[in-house]
Amino acid sequence: MKKKRKAAVNVLFIIVIVLYSIYLLTENALKQSNEKRLMKYLPIISSELEENDLSADEFAPVLLAIMDQESHGKGNDPMQSSESAGLKRNKIDNPYKSIKQGVFHFSEMYRYGEKLGVDLETIIQSYNMGPGYIDFIASNKSAHSENSAKTYSEYMVEKSPSIYTCNNDKLNFRYPYCYGDYTYAKKVTAKLDAMNSIIKNNL
């Protein structure tokens, strides 16, 4: 009986090891695939940054992190920049146009943020929430925080409660802060080290 139990435990252990190995291989393959998608767009991002008078060395990792957050480099609007151009969501259907508009939008937020003296995280958050968030932070003479983003989101929801509803889904993590994503800057900045490493390893 003890031998059968020991054999069963050994088989179970082997199965766990095999499944874990498959998981690691799959995760690594997905990571490499994601890196290839992002790196494919690095030359365009760098070129557009220079076109908008921003340093590619300094800001390419930021734009890659934004792209990774927006789409993981997938689809025809990888920067999810349609709305910043005054279009409907996913209306841009060409990756080059998406990157061109996305970098332009970021550069506009950066210049405006620099003019008003806000921090980089506020500028990154404004990629998601628009220039009004920069105004909000500057007028309060503060720096970006999730609480600040929540307060601004709440203000925008109160202005247009029929528009920003999170589809009335109270299980949505943003609810009731349904304008933008108050965690956006945190998510993007958390990716910066990885983006710097990807760039360095592929140069």
Side-chain angles (χ1 to χ4, degrees), residues 47-70:
S47 175
E48 288 301 317
L49 281 167
E50 299 292 349
E51 190 72 21
N52 285 277
D53 299 318
L54 291 180
S55 166
D57 288 341
E58 183 175 358
F59 291 108
V62 178
L63 269 296
L64 278 180
I66 287 174
M67 179 186 283
D68 191 39
Q69 178 59 34
E70 293 289 346

